[in-house]
Structures are given as structure tokens and as C-alpha cells.
Amino acid sequence: MRSRSASNPFLVARAIARAAVLAGAMLTAAIAHADPAALRVGIGGAGEEQLWLMSAKPTITPGQGKDYTLDVTRFAGNDKRFQAFEAGALDFITTSANAALLAASEGTKFKVIASLSRESANGFQTTYLVNSNSPIKSIKDLKGKKIGIDALNSSTHLWAKLVLEKNGLDPNRDVTFVPVSFPAQGQALRSGMIDVGVFPQPFASTEETQGGVRPLFTSRDAVPFDQELMLVIASPDILKKNPAAVHSFVKDLVTSTRYYDDHTKDAREALISAHQVRVAPPVYLSMADYYRDPTDHVDVQTLAKMQDILIKNGIQRKPADVNQLVDMSWLPKE
């Protein structure tokens, strides 16, 4: 014998509706209590303070802990970061603009989603230093000398090559390039391991405060226009699998950039307290800094001009499609 509810269409429909409401409520609750996406980020050692600040002062990033969490790993150089990125161990990395262009031209798949800093007339420019008592007084005096760079085919390598060529020297025969990590450049210079060292911030201010060094040239002497310095790139997988978390992360990055620009002293103190930088506080708190676009937008035309230089100098063999490489749709709408 069938039950009354089974034979009554109205009761059956009502039961189905109740079940649907209950299922929807359970799904909503599950989504609400789902763990935020863990974003794996590889960072470097210079020109990206606003990204470090997101870990040092998470209270300024409302999406962090709700929409996403950050799993941050620091690397000494672009090469190691890219290796981890290409192996699928990282979702985002910071990288120099020149390294990004070179990697894209060789087939690495990613999107450039934000700018962190620039080599600009409006801010600090990466500086090449010599010892104060060095006989090197001009670029022409570099013949037969050893120049410190952070890596072969890096931005610091390119800038030095361009300056040498402008002054009639052959960078392939007249000098020796010695790869040295940025933190070790100061000791390498003072010990005589190299004759010229290259210093981004905060390393330049550290050495100049210590004394016994003087500037020889800067990145601006190599390239006379503003350049993108540090970028954030993202793997296609994370952009496809978790777009909501990416949007929240990038929105918070812009918030962090503006906080760093507007509250620089507080931001730097937070970075020191969180051991994100290991520089004497008086030096770090007062140092000149790179220019940062307050919206984190990438200058696509500048990237194209930078790529032309890389190709002309034989560092990059073929061009990447810069317009396809950069995707600023992840940045918040102004």
C-alpha cells in the first residue's frame, strides 16, 4: 500500500522543494567554510617591497586569509625562481622584466600581471660602485677589469655591456663578468674579487653608508628611458583554476603598493620587524627607492623597447608577443 505522500503530487513537489533548499544551504555553507586558496609565491631580494609587505603586515590586505593565503619562498636569483616556476612548484614569481622577456621568447608559458618597480628618472637607479681608492675613474678604465653582475644575461649584465659599448670597449673581450649574488657584491668588491660591483637597493645604501666606495655609472647610463624592473608573473594554471583568488591577491597587492608609497616609514619598519630585510634600520628607513606605479600597471610600450635592446644585443634570439604576454585584466578597475 502506497503512503499518502507518495500518491499526492503536491506533497511530493513540496518534499522535492525542501530537499533542494536544504541541498543549496549545505552547498552554501560548504563554500563559506572552504579553506582559502593557498597561493605559492617565489620572491627575490630587491625592488619588490610591497609584495613582501603583504606577509609582514597582512592587516592591510583584506582578502588575505579569506580568499587566499600566501605560501612565500625567497630565492637568491631569477634563475632558481624560474626553475621552480617551470617545474610547477610556484603559482607566481617576481622576476626582472628582461628575464621575463627572455623566458617568454624561449617558450615559457605565463602572464605578466603586475609591475612592482621601475628603473626611472623619478627614483633610485641600480648603481655600479668601485672602491674609493680604485684607479678606475671612467668607463674606459675598465679594460682588463672584473665586473660583478648577479647573473649572465641578466639586466645587470646587459646594462654593463651597453655602457661599455657606448665607451668604445668590447664587453666580450675587454672585461670579465663575474656572477655574484647581490648580498655578496659588497664583500666581493672590497676584497678585490671584482673591480666593479652592481647594487640595487637596499644594498647600494648599505655600501655607501659604510663608506669607501663611489659610483661609476647607473642603469640610466645604459638605457636612457624608464624601464620596468621587477614584475609579477602568473602560471596559466592558477589563472584558470582559481580566478577569484587571483583577483583578490592582485587587488591586495595594489593596496599594499599604495600603503608602501603613502606610509613608507611604517611599511619599512614592518618589513624590518618581520625580518623581511636585514639592513641596518637607519640605512633602510632613509634610503632612496625605486619608482613604483601606484596602480601596478605594466608599461607595455616600454617592455617592447626593452625587448628590442635584448634582441639587438644578442641576449634574446626571437621576439615574444608583448601584447599577449601582459594581461592587466587581473588588476582592479580604477
Side-chain angles (χ1 to χ4, degrees):
M1 181 176 179
R2 291 187 301 172
S3 68
R4 180 185 171 201
S5 62
S7 60
N8 188 322
F10 174 76
L11 294 177
V12 171
R14 187 168 65 179
I16 292 172
R18 285 176 175 172
V21 170
L22 179 60
M26 292 174 66
L27 178 60
T28 300
I31 293 173
H33 290 89
D35 291 335
L39 303 181
R40 303 167 300 169
V41 184
I43 63 172
E48 52 192 62
E49 272 87 346
Q50 67 266 51
L51 183 53
W52 307 342
L53 189 62
M54 294 176 70
S55 295
K57 198 174 180 69
T59 54
I60 66 172
T61 54
Q64 192 172 178
K66 181 182 71 173
D67 303 321
Y68 68 92
T69 59
L70 293 179
D71 179 6
V72 178
T73 304
R74 188 179 291 267
F75 293 81
N78 272 317
D79 54 346
K80 299 300 183 183
R81 289 201 293 284
F82 259 110
Q83 287 173 13
F85 182 77
E86 291 182 277
L90 297 169
D91 302 309
F92 307 88
I93 61 170
T94 61
T95 179
S96 72
N98 285 331
L101 289 166
L102 181 58
S105 74
E106 294 180 347
T108 303
K109 301 301 182 184
F110 60 86
K111 291 292 185 181
V112 176
I113 61 171
S115 167
L116 293 176
S117 54
R118 291 180 186 155
E119 297 277 349
S120 169
N122 296 318
F124 174 82
Q125 297 143 33
T126 298
T127 303
Y128 293 73
L129 300 175
V130 297
N131 288 314
S132 294
N133 60 0
S134 170
I136 300 171
K137 305 298 182 184
S138 70
I139 305 301
K140 294 184 183 298
D141 295 331
L142 291 175
K143 188 170 184 177
K145 304 300 183 183
K146 294 173 287 187
I147 302 175
I149 56 174
D150 67 315
L152 295 174
N153 293 328
S154 64
S155 297
T156 62
H157 189 191
L158 173 64
W159 294 330
K161 288 176 68 175
L162 292 174
V163 167
L164 291 166
E165 289 172 348
K166 284 183 179 182
N167 288 270
L169 295 181
D170 185 338
N172 297 316
R173 294 187 302 176
D174 291 337
V175 303
T176 300
F177 290 105
V178 181
V180 182
S181 68
F182 288 132
Q185 289 268 342
Q187 179 59 34
L189 177 63
R190 295 174 190 278
S191 69
M193 175 184 169
I194 55 178
D195 301 295
V196 183
V198 60
F199 298 88
Q201 290 291 43
F203 307 107
S205 287
T206 297
E207 296 304 323
E208 289 174 337
T209 300
Q210 186 176 341
V213 295
R214 55 181 166 82
L216 185 65
F217 63 93
T218 73
S219 63
R220 190 79 178 183
D221 294 309
V223 179
F225 57 81
D226 288 3
Q227 305 166 71
E228 289 288 355
L229 178 60
M230 296 303 296
L231 304 172
V232 178
I233 68 172
S235 73
D237 285 347
I238 194 65
L239 298 179
K240 181 178 180 180
K241 292 178 181 178
N242 217 324
V246 176
H247 275 296
S248 183
F249 164 63
V250 177
K251 182 178 181 181
D252 281 351
L253 176 61
V254 174
T255 299
S256 185
T257 298
R258 289 175 173 165
Y259 184 92
Y260 183 83
D261 282 343
D262 295 341
H263 308 279
T264 304
K265 183 174 183 292
D266 289 343
R268 290 181 180 176
E269 286 177 341
L271 291 172
I272 291 170
S273 296
H275 305 293
Q276 294 280 6
V277 295
R278 289 175 170 80
V279 179
V283 174
Y284 188 62
L285 294 175
S286 62
M287 75 176 191
D289 208 348
Y290 293 103
Y291 174 76
R292 291 171 170 79
D293 185 297
T295 66
D296 289 350
H297 273 67
V298 181
D299 190 328
V300 178
Q301 290 184 334
T302 291
L303 277 185
K305 290 164 65 177
M306 293 170 67
Q307 178 170 247
D308 290 342
I309 293 175
L310 289 171
I311 293 173
K312 181 180 178 181
N313 284 271
I315 293 177
Q316 187 173 319
R317 291 177 298 173
K318 57 184 180 179
D321 188 335
V322 176
N323 290 309
Q324 290 296 317
L325 184 63
V326 177
D327 185 355
M328 286 185 281
S329 68
W330 299 96
L331 291 164
K333 301 293 186 291
E334 293 300 312

